[in-house]
Structures are given as structure tokens and as C-alpha cells.
Amino acid sequence: DGTIYVCTEDGKLLAIKDGSIAWFYETTPWRPVSSSPIIGPDGNIYFGCDDGKLYRIDQNSHQPVSGWPVTVSTTDVVNNTPLLCADGIIYVADERSLYAYEVDNPSGGPRWQVALSVTAMAGSGHRPRRLSLDNQPSPAVDQYGIIYISADAGIFAIAGRPDGTLAATDWPMLHHDAKHTGRFGAK
């Protein structure tokens, strides 16, 4: 409908329509929102927040959907853009792990999580190290349902489920689609 959703460093999700703020949601207590928002098939808006939570805001009430936000981490920020797949799984990362949540049952905790770290090879003399997420890499998915997320030491490729491809919504991941077109040239 021409609404543009933007998250802000002052802790808000803004809905902008016809050049004006139509409505906004503010995190409480205030924390910066470094994530970009994505849109679910029901029109709800998802974003990660520096308070370690993943939010799902109802497009009609402009408030969190029941059972949301979900605490992803009590020690790390969630500053990357979530990824929504066709099978109802939403992926988000904190500074240490990638998490998979069921959209319809987030309070059950993550379905799974995987550490985003590289371990040292035995006898190499190198200590294990954590991969930096300073550049806020966001998960992406390919046509086979394989989830990718980048880090300083390389790229992680995780899972691979035929039903876990990109959700058919107006904006299911960072830069819109697997080609990261941002809907360039869309009419």
C-alpha cells in the first residue's frame, strides 16, 4: 500500500506513508534498533533490537503480537535483519549464534541455534575465536533452503530444507530477495 517501514537508532519502528509518519512503535525501555524491518505474510513487521529481543509488531494495532517480543539474548544485541522463510521459521543472530524460531510459537524458545565461532585445530597453538558481527551481517536463504550468514572468518552455510525457502511476502529479508535487488526497477 506504499507504506515504508524504517527502524531508528532512537528505538522506533516508523511507518511512513505519503511522506509522513503514519504511526510508530517505540521500544520500552528505549534501546537503539540497528536492524532493518521485514514484513511477514500477515503484514506484521519483524525487527531485531539492541535490547537482545526479536520483535513482531501487528500492522493494525501497532503493538507487539501476543507472545512477542522474544528474548534472543540477555547479553548480546540483535542488530541484524531477520530472515523469514516459507515454512514459518524466522532466523536472527546475536553476536554469538544464529537462532531459528517458529513464528507461531516463539515462546517455546528457538527450534535450534548454532554458534558462530571457529574452533582452533588441535595442536595448532591457536585459541578458539568468535567471529565478529560488527558489520551486522544478516542471514540469507537460497532456493534449496540453505541459510547463509557471513562473518570475519568466512561464511556459514547451515541446514537445507526444501520447505525453508524465502517467504512469499513483500519484504522477507534484507535487500528484499535472494538476489538482493531491493526491488530495483519494481513498478
Side-chain angles (χ1 to χ4, degrees):
D1 69 356
T3 302
I4 299 170
Y5 299 100
V6 178
C7 292
T8 68
E9 288 291 321
D10 66 348
K12 294 180 181 139
L13 166 68
L14 304 176
I16 302 170
K17 186 158 177 137
D18 299 325
S20 299
I21 296 173
W23 60 268
F24 69 92
Y25 171 79
E26 186 169 13
T27 59
T28 307
W30 171 88
R31 290 298 302 266
V33 181
S34 303
S35 166
S36 293
I38 63 169
I39 303 171
D42 53 6
N44 292 333
I45 300 96
Y46 300 81
F47 62 89
C49 183
D50 288 10
D51 63 3
K53 295 178 183 174
L54 175 62
Y55 286 79
R56 179 182 180 189
I57 305 300
D58 182 281
Q59 68 168 339
N60 298 313
S61 72
H62 314 148
Q63 294 298 311
V65 172
S66 179
W68 292 80
V70 175
T71 299
V72 174
S73 176
T74 57
T75 58
D76 294 324
V77 300
V78 177
N79 59 6
N80 59 73
T81 302
L83 161 68
L84 185 60
C85 289
D87 59 359
I89 303 298
I90 189 164
Y91 298 91
V92 67
D94 64 12
E95 294 180 2
R96 298 176 189 176
S97 298
L98 175 69
Y99 301 87
Y101 285 92
E102 290 182 42
V103 170
D104 293 331
N105 185 25
S107 59
R111 283 184 78 184
W112 55 262
Q113 72 185 65
V114 63
L116 299 175
S117 62
V118 175
T119 56
M121 295 182 347
S124 69
H126 297 284
R127 295 188 337 228
R129 64 187 184 117
R130 182 177 61 81
L131 299 174
S132 172
L133 294 181
D134 293 339
N135 294 325
Q136 304 171 6
S138 299
V141 64
D142 69 11
Q143 70 270 24
Y144 305 106
I146 298 172
I147 307 299
Y148 298 92
I149 189 165
S150 66
D152 286 346
I155 298 173
F156 286 87
I158 304 160
R161 298 174 342 278
D163 295 337
T165 57
L166 195 60
T169 74
D170 288 335
W171 207 272
M173 65 183 264
L174 182 68
H175 300 298
H176 182 262
D177 54 41
K179 293 182 180 181
H180 287 15
T181 65
R183 292 183 68 168
F184 176 78
K187 295 179 181 190

